Amino acid sequence: MAHEVEHRSLARYLEEHSLKRTKQRDAILEVFLEATGHITSEEIYKRVQKEHPGIGYTTVYRTMKLLCDAGLANERRFDDSVTRYEIAQEHHDHLVCVRCGKIVEFECRMIESSQEEIAARYGFQVLRHRHELYGHCESCREQRETPPSSEA
């Protein structure tokens, strides 16, 4: 089975919380893990439907909440207020294009170090943070800068 480690992790979480392991949950987990980048419940639902048409949207939504609780997924909301999910991984930050919705993940030790220094300066213990930069991606900027062609 693909993603065996994640499936075992979910099974362990379900057992620890006296919840049932179901084929639906396994199918949703598999679709989620096959996705790249940030994915909405709606997108997961549509993909799950191709193989498992009996799985409803509510089941997908609840399972994604469960995957977050189990530490397998992270829930993200950017400026558009749409809930997206990403595979739980090491900390990273985001660049978000406000035109096309493109999301780029990045890591920057300098930013992390500066945040730690600022927190220490003010005697603040950081528990978690989000760093999201909003703007226009290169593709959207190029489209906007290209003048429309005039046809004679």
Side-chain angles (χ1 to χ4, degrees), residues 71-87:
L72 293 167
N74 289 327
E75 183 180 282
R76 302 299 307 232
R77 279 189 199 89
F78 298 103
D79 266 1
D80 61 5
S81 298
V82 174
T83 300
R84 291 180 176 83
Y85 299 93
E86 64 183 356
I87 296 172

Side-chain angles (χ1 to χ4, degrees), residues 49-95:
Q49 283 288 294
K50 292 176 185 174
E51 298 282 325
H52 307 277
I55 296 177
Y57 181 78
T58 302
T59 301
V60 171
Y61 178 81
R62 288 180 181 158
T63 300
M64 291 312 300
K65 172 83 172 103
L66 182 72
L67 295 181
C68 289
D69 293 344
L72 293 167
N74 289 327
E75 183 180 282
R76 302 299 307 232
R77 279 189 199 89
F78 298 103
D79 266 1
D80 61 5
S81 298
V82 174
T83 300
R84 291 180 176 83
Y85 299 93
E86 64 183 356
I87 296 172
Q89 57 190 351
E90 290 294 315
H91 173 75
H92 60 273
D93 298 308
H94 298 92
L95 297 168

